[in-house]
Amino acid sequence: MSYEPPRPIRGLLLTPEDREAPARARRLCSLGLGERAEPALDAFADHLARLTGAPYAMVNFVGEERQFFAGLRVPAEGPPARADGTRRTELGRTLPREHGFCPHVVVRHKALVLEDVCDYPRFAGNPVVDEHGIRSYLGAPLIDSTGMALGTVCVADVAPRPWGRAGLETIKSTAAELAARLERRTDDGLPL
């Protein structure tokens, strides 16, 4: 019996090509975003977690090579253990661009609802599933007045979760609210 390696699945891009990435990186730099944690964005993420009942909430700015969580709320008890009892990696402020689901939201300029990531082969193999135990995701793009998606507002859970229409409307409205606040902040020179 011989072993034949699996053939690659044609057309299945795990991380979408992002032609806006260089322009987005310049725009984020001009807005002073995506390089440091911001207490106001941490508070926004905490509010979003309470609003949705999700253990994880993020304000994520997507650059050319990485994602940066300028706003982050993680559960105090840390990520769940793996089936073999070993601990998973704690979610930090940065992720490679090919990890997670936010790059898909940014490229598509549309909200993404994944009630159980394992139901979608395209997303089930994403490193955040194994490394951090993420099983469900809800995210919407932060679209500025130029029409550019700067990043996302998102929540995630370690269990499958029916986000429903209410969850979708909540994430979309909070993303629009935050995008407007970010631009007002830079226009007026005020903090969030």
Side-chain angles (χ1 to χ4, degrees):
M1 183 184 286
S2 67
Y3 171 75
E4 197 173 311
R7 285 184 265 162
I9 301 171
R10 297 225 180 259
L12 183 62
L13 289 175
L14 295 181
T15 304
E17 183 180 359
D18 186 356
R19 292 189 175 111
E20 274 189 348
R24 180 181 319 101
R26 288 189 301 275
R27 178 77 171 134
L28 288 170
C29 185
S30 75
L31 294 171
L33 297 170
E35 292 298 319
R36 67 184 182 285
E38 298 200 24
L41 294 178
D42 283 341
F44 188 89
D46 191 59
H47 168 72
L48 187 57
R50 284 193 314 274
L51 196 61
T52 61
Y56 293 91
M58 288 78 69
V59 177
N60 184 10
F61 297 112
V62 180
E64 291 183 83
E65 301 298 323
R66 71 179 180 124
Q67 305 172 65
F68 183 78
F69 300 120
L72 178 63
R73 197 280 191 174
V74 298
E77 66 274 5
R82 290 184 176 90
D84 66 4
T86 60
R87 294 299 290 168
R88 286 191 165 92
T89 307
E90 191 75 40
L91 182 65
R93 292 276 177 182
T94 63
L95 277 179
R97 201 179 87 69
E98 53 277 348
H99 290 204
F101 313 110
C102 293
H104 296 269
V105 173
V106 167
V107 169
R108 293 169 19 136
H109 285 235
K110 292 182 181 177
L112 178 62
V113 179
L114 300 171
E115 294 182 346
D116 185 345
V117 298
C118 294
D119 288 344
Y120 304 89
R122 176 183 198 120
F123 298 114
N126 196 288
V128 298
V129 177
D130 289 332
E131 290 178 25
H132 306 292
I134 301 301
R135 283 291 301 276
S136 59
Y137 171 90
L138 176 65
L142 288 166
I143 299 177
D144 72 5
S145 61
T146 71
M148 181 176 288
L150 301 173
T152 66
V153 169
C154 62
V155 293
D157 204 334
V158 296
R161 180 184 184 123
W163 298 106
R165 182 172 296 282
L168 178 60
E169 292 306 317
T170 296
I171 204 74
K172 287 168 63 176
S173 66
T174 56
E177 171 193 329
L178 183 58
R181 284 174 58 190
L182 291 170
E183 283 201 297
R184 273 196 310 273
R185 170 187 90 149
T186 56
D187 290 345
D188 300 337
L190 300 173
L192 273 174

